[in-house]
């Protein structure tokens, strides 16, 4: 069904393949998806005229709002064909149900198999999955299925408990971690406190999920640097979402996340829906290929990135994307400066005296954005507050308010959505209807 070598073909042949699959997709959703059938009719779209990737621009885009408002109208198969129900985390609004057929599950496994191959993994590896595998979470299942398709071993430790993670690493001889990067720092801290020799572990690599490990120059960011300074394992960043059922994953060159060309078509668009040039930032917009249950056409993810079109030394010619710059809806306008939460995270992650933190943005009495940083510190002090403000101003030109909280209070506030995902950002701004 799939052709793993496609990403190594010349770009012209990749595009030809995608155009053939695009025509199949448009015919499929026009016949089977109530949402897209209505959308194409309302916008007077003749899908027979859409034959090339360049002609995608003639199709309307869709968004998370559409999925939230008409969730089940995206379903393109009878309900008796669904074998798995998954749900988005709900961190940016109401959770969305994404239903998969048996073939969609096979596609999900293949997607993650390709990601693991990109990261240099082999059948001889043992994957330690330090993440949620329940609570309707698609990603945990994807990693589990992908490792199985690779023929590798899997141990499901779930998130948390550094002592248990280390005990499992040495007992099972785990070679690959699938883990949130900031949790790797907790593993390192535990190791240093308990005389674990980080130069002598079976772990060779970490597939990093949920957080950037590189900056926009594709260099390791603060978290990535802090990991490599103490633990010399290979780090691979990934980007994915439940809705698109597909991942972008770094290869060994660390030159951005490769798309899997037979599974997804990627565009980067400006605010009015025009494609931006490679190297310019815009909203990642995807069209899924090969999905039966809930396929998507020109779905705006809400995440800001850029297309990278320089050759990759790994030999793949698939589209790559830069690290995510931020979520479009999380843009903060603070006293004349525009920024996104990840830029603040990167500064806070450099501070050894900070045990944990939470960035909150709210609306002041004048209707403007204000930033409040909740900090759990090793020792609360005015000196630390002034130091943080100086770092933030020097790097980002902002001096937000900083308050100290207990680590328990901050970690409780970090639980968002349906409770399986932690967030270091809370958007408490008034909605237009509230002001």
């Amino acid at each position: 069904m799939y052709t793993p070598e496609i990403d190594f073909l010349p770009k012209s042949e990749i595009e030809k393949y995608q155009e053939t699959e695009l025509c199949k997709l448009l015919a499929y959703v026009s016949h089977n998806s109530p949402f897209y059938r209505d959308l194409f009719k309302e916008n007077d779209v003749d899908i027979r005229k859409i034959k090339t990737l360049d002609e995608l621009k003639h199709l309307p885009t869709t968004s998370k709002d559409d999925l939230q408002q008409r969730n089940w109208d995206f379903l393109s198969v009878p309900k008796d064909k669904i074998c798995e129900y998954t749900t988005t985390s709900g961190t940016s609004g109401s959770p969305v149900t994404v239903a998969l057929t048996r073939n969609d599950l096979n596609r999900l496994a293949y997607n993650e198999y390709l990601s693991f191959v990109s990261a240099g993994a082999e059948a001889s590896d043992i994957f330690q999955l330090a993440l949620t595998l329940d609570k309707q979470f698609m990603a945990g299942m994807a990693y589990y299925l992908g490792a199985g398709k690779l023929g590798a071993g899997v141990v499901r430790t779930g998130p948390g408990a550094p002592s248990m993670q280390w005990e499992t690493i040495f007992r099972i001889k785990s070679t690959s971690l699938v883990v949130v990067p900031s949790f790797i720092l907790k593993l390192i801290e535990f190791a240093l406190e308990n005389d674990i020799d980080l130069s002598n572990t079976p772990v060779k690599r970490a597939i990093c999920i949920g957080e950037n490990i590189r900056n926009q120059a594709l260099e390791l960011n603060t978290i990535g640097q802090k990991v490599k300074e103490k633990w010399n394992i290979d780090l691979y960043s990934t980007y994915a979402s439940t809705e698109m059922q597909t991942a972008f994953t770094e290869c060994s060159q660390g030159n951005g996340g490769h798309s899997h060309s037979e599974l997804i078509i990627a565009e980067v668009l400006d605010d009015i829906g025009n494609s931006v040039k490679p190297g310019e930032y815009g909203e990642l917009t995807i069209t899924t290929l090969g999905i039966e249950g809930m396929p998507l056409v020109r779905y705006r993810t809400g995440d800001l990135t850029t297309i990278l079109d320089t050759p990759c030394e790994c030999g793949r010619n698939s589209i790559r994307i830069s690290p995510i710059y931020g979520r479009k809806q999380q843009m903060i306008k603070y006293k004349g400066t525009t920024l996104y939460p990840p830029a603040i995270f990167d500064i806070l992650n450099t501070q050894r005296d900070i045990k944990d933190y939470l960035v909150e943005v709210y609306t002041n009495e004048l209707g403007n954005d204000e930033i409040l940083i909740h900090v759990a510190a090793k020792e609360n002090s005015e000196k630390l507050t002034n130091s943080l403000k100086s770092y933030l101003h020097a790097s980002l030109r902002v001096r937000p308010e900083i308050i100290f909280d207990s680590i328990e209070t901050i970690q409780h506030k970090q639980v968002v959505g349906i409770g399986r995902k932690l967030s270091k950002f809370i958007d408490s701004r008034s909605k237009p209807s509230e002001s």
Side-chain angles (χ1 to χ4, degrees):
M1 178 180 178
Y2 300 113
T3 52
E5 297 82 12
I6 188 172
D7 290 336
F8 293 91
L9 295 175
K11 288 186 178 181
S12 60
E13 294 188 39
I14 292 176
E15 290 182 4
K16 183 177 179 181
Y17 175 91
Q18 289 189 324
E19 288 170 349
T20 299
E21 295 303 306
L22 173 63
C23 291
K24 293 178 184 177
L25 169 66
L26 295 179
Y28 180 79
V29 296
S30 295
H31 186 264
N32 295 291
S33 168
F35 176 84
Y36 284 110
R37 192 161 54 237
D38 291 347
L39 185 68
F40 294 164
K41 183 178 180 180
E42 291 167 5
N43 290 272
D44 197 25
V45 172
D46 183 353
I47 62 166
R48 295 171 297 181
K49 296 181 178 179
I50 311 298
K51 298 184 181 298
T52 67
L53 298 185
D54 184 60
E55 290 167 341
L56 268 172
K57 63 189 177 186
H58 300 306
L59 296 174
T61 60
T62 55
S63 69
K64 185 70 166 284
D65 285 342
D66 296 314
L67 273 170
Q68 289 170 331
Q69 294 170 17
R70 296 186 60 184
N71 198 167
W72 290 111
D73 286 340
F74 281 81
L75 186 64
S76 299
V77 296
K79 280 201 170 182
D80 62 4
K81 298 295 184 184
I82 300 171
C83 67
E84 182 78 34
Y85 293 89
T86 63
T87 306
T88 61
S89 62
T91 56
S92 57
S94 302
V96 168
T97 299
V98 177
L100 294 83
T101 67
R102 177 58 56 188
N103 285 337
D104 291 341
L105 280 178
N106 292 337
R107 177 189 178 280
L108 192 67
Y110 177 70
N111 159 77
E112 214 55 59
Y113 159 80
L114 289 179
S115 295
F116 289 154
V117 169
S118 296
E122 300 175 338
S124 58
D125 280 300
I126 299 174
F127 283 83
Q128 186 157 317
L129 305 184
L131 70 157
T132 300
L133 273 89
D134 56 4
K135 298 182 180 179
Q136 307 168 63
F137 189 36
M138 178 185 287
M141 180 173 60
Y143 299 125
Y144 180 82
L145 294 173
K149 187 169 183 63
L150 182 65
V154 179
V155 54
R156 297 177 288 113
T157 53
S163 59
M164 180 269 291
Q165 301 287 351
W166 278 115
E167 187 278 331
T168 305
I169 286 171
F170 286 109
R171 175 167 50 85
I172 304 296
K173 307 301 180 189
S174 305
T175 61
S176 302
L177 302 180
V178 182
V179 63
V180 175
S182 55
F183 185 66
I184 304 177
L185 297 179
K186 296 185 185 304
L187 292 177
I188 291 173
E189 183 179 10
F190 183 91
L192 296 176
E193 292 174 352
N194 291 272
D195 298 322
I196 295 174
D197 184 1
L198 289 170
S199 66
N200 188 27
T201 78
V203 177
K204 297 186 294 185
R205 70 180 63 80
I207 312 297
C208 298
I209 65 172
E211 296 172 347
N212 286 340
I213 58 166
R214 296 188 187 277
N215 58 29
Q216 302 309 308
L218 299 179
E219 300 167 339
L220 288 176
N221 63 11
T222 303
I223 289 182
Q225 290 174 9
K226 290 175 77 171
V227 171
K228 292 291 285 186
E229 285 171 4
K230 301 294 184 181
W231 197 9
N232 190 29
I233 57 175
D234 295 329
L235 303 176
Y236 297 88
S237 65
T238 66
Y239 166 80
S241 74
T242 300
E243 301 96 308
M244 68 186 188
Q245 304 178 50
T246 319
F248 293 77
T249 305
E250 280 187 337
C251 67
S252 59
Q253 301 301 313
N255 286 327
H258 284 275
S259 70
H260 303 319
S261 303
E262 68 267 54
L263 302 183
I264 200 166
I265 297 170
E267 306 171 82
V268 175
L269 306 180
D270 63 19
D271 288 341
I272 60 175
N274 295 322
S275 294
V276 302
K277 297 177 182 178
E280 295 181 354
Y281 283 97
E283 186 175 4
L284 179 64
T285 302
I286 57 91
T287 297
T288 58
L289 302 175
I291 289 177
E292 291 180 336
M294 286 186 165
L296 297 173
V297 179
R298 299 201 84 201
Y299 177 76
R300 301 187 75 134
T301 64
D303 291 321
L304 302 175
T305 187
T306 184
I307 294 289
L308 304 172
D309 66 345
T310 54
C312 185
E313 293 183 9
C314 74
R316 293 177 178 84
N317 293 308
S318 50
I319 282 178
R320 305 191 317 280
I321 61 171
S322 71
I324 298 300
Y325 186 65
R327 288 196 64 80
K328 188 175 181 180
Q329 68 182 36
Q330 292 180 351
M331 182 179 71
I332 303 168
K333 292 185 177 180
Y334 181 69
K335 298 181 180 180
T337 298
T338 297
L339 69 158
Y340 292 87
I344 302 175
F345 300 164
D346 205 36
I347 300 299
L348 297 176
N349 287 331
T350 65
Q351 306 303 306
R352 294 182 179 180
D353 291 328
I354 294 180
K355 297 163 68 176
D356 211 342
Y357 62 84
L358 181 74
V359 177
E360 181 178 4
V361 61
Y362 63 96
T363 305
N364 65 21
E365 65 276 6
L366 299 177
N368 298 323
D369 290 352
E370 290 284 353
I371 303 171
L372 175 62
I373 300 178
H374 303 258
V375 171
K378 293 180 180 178
E379 183 177 347
N380 301 346
S381 68
E382 185 178 350
K383 180 179 178 181
L384 177 58
T385 298
N386 293 335
S387 174
L388 289 177
K389 287 186 176 182
S390 295
Y391 276 114
L392 289 163
H393 187 260
S395 300
L396 304 175
R397 295 181 298 163
V398 298
R399 290 183 184 273
E401 183 182 357
I402 296 171
I403 63 171
F404 293 107
D405 276 330
S406 69
I407 194 165
E408 292 80 12
T409 298
I410 287 177
Q411 290 177 349
H412 176 73
K413 291 179 178 179
Q414 288 174 346
V415 179
V416 295
I418 61 175
R420 65 161 187 250
K421 190 172 183 180
L422 300 180
S423 177
K424 293 185 181 295
F425 176 74
I426 292 180
D427 193 340
S428 301
R429 287 175 288 193
S430 301
K431 304 299 185 291
S433 59
E434 299 172 351
S435 56

